[in-house]
Amino acid sequence: MELLGAPEPVGDLRPLRQVLGCLVGAWFGSLMGERAAWAVSELAGNAIRHGGGLLGVRVYPAAAGLVVEVRDGAPGKAPVLGRLDDMLAESGRGLAMLATVAVDLGWVAEVSEKSVWVVLDPADVEEAV
């Protein structure tokens, strides 16, 4: 599944979370749908706030799990993996929290855009129940 462009209004990620959560939930179960919705919310929010704007979202199965990938317009700006122990921070913990539940998390820069992705393991989610 691939979604292009920013949600309207730019700051409202609810429709994106809902669509992604429902589709992934139909494929892998509701708990995985919730985890994927959380992942896209964190990644898309970072793209909007720090990455020069949200260019697109891709979600696809891979050998290691379900990939949630967000493209933004800031290829020269690396994502920052914040610290979980700074309880007074107003932001900066989203990627660090995702890293605790992800099989993998990374990014790649191209000429005019950057992709930030997380791999989620559906088996992990079902075992957590």
Side-chain angles (χ1 to χ4, degrees):
M1 171 181 66
E2 185 164 3
L3 305 169
L4 301 174
E8 293 295 333
V10 171
D12 188 1
L13 295 172
R14 286 175 295 186
L16 179 60
R17 281 194 310 264
Q18 290 170 344
V19 167
L20 187 91
C22 286
L23 289 172
V24 171
W27 295 337
F28 298 104
S30 63
L31 291 175
M32 187 64 172
E34 290 174 17
R35 186 163 289 177
W38 167 49
V40 80
S41 182
E42 290 292 340
L43 297 177
N46 285 347
I48 292 167
R49 284 186 296 280
H50 311 294
L54 177 61
L55 300 181
V57 174
R58 289 180 62 211
V59 179
Y60 54 94
L66 182 74
V67 179
V68 178
E69 175 186 346
V70 170
R71 293 187 344 267
D72 69 38
K77 192 169 184 181
V80 176
L81 193 63
R83 294 177 31 186
L84 291 177
D85 62 349
D86 186 358
M87 299 308 287
L88 298 178
E90 292 183 21
S91 66
R93 292 185 300 271
L95 286 179
M97 290 187 320
L98 276 177
T100 66
V101 300
V103 173
D104 201 2
L105 183 140
W107 67 281
V108 62
E110 297 175 14
V111 173
S112 62
E113 64 185 46
K114 169 178 77 238
S115 293
V116 182
W117 45 265
V118 62
V119 180
L120 304 172
D121 184 356
D124 244 10
V125 174
E126 298 307 319
E127 291 175 13
V129 177

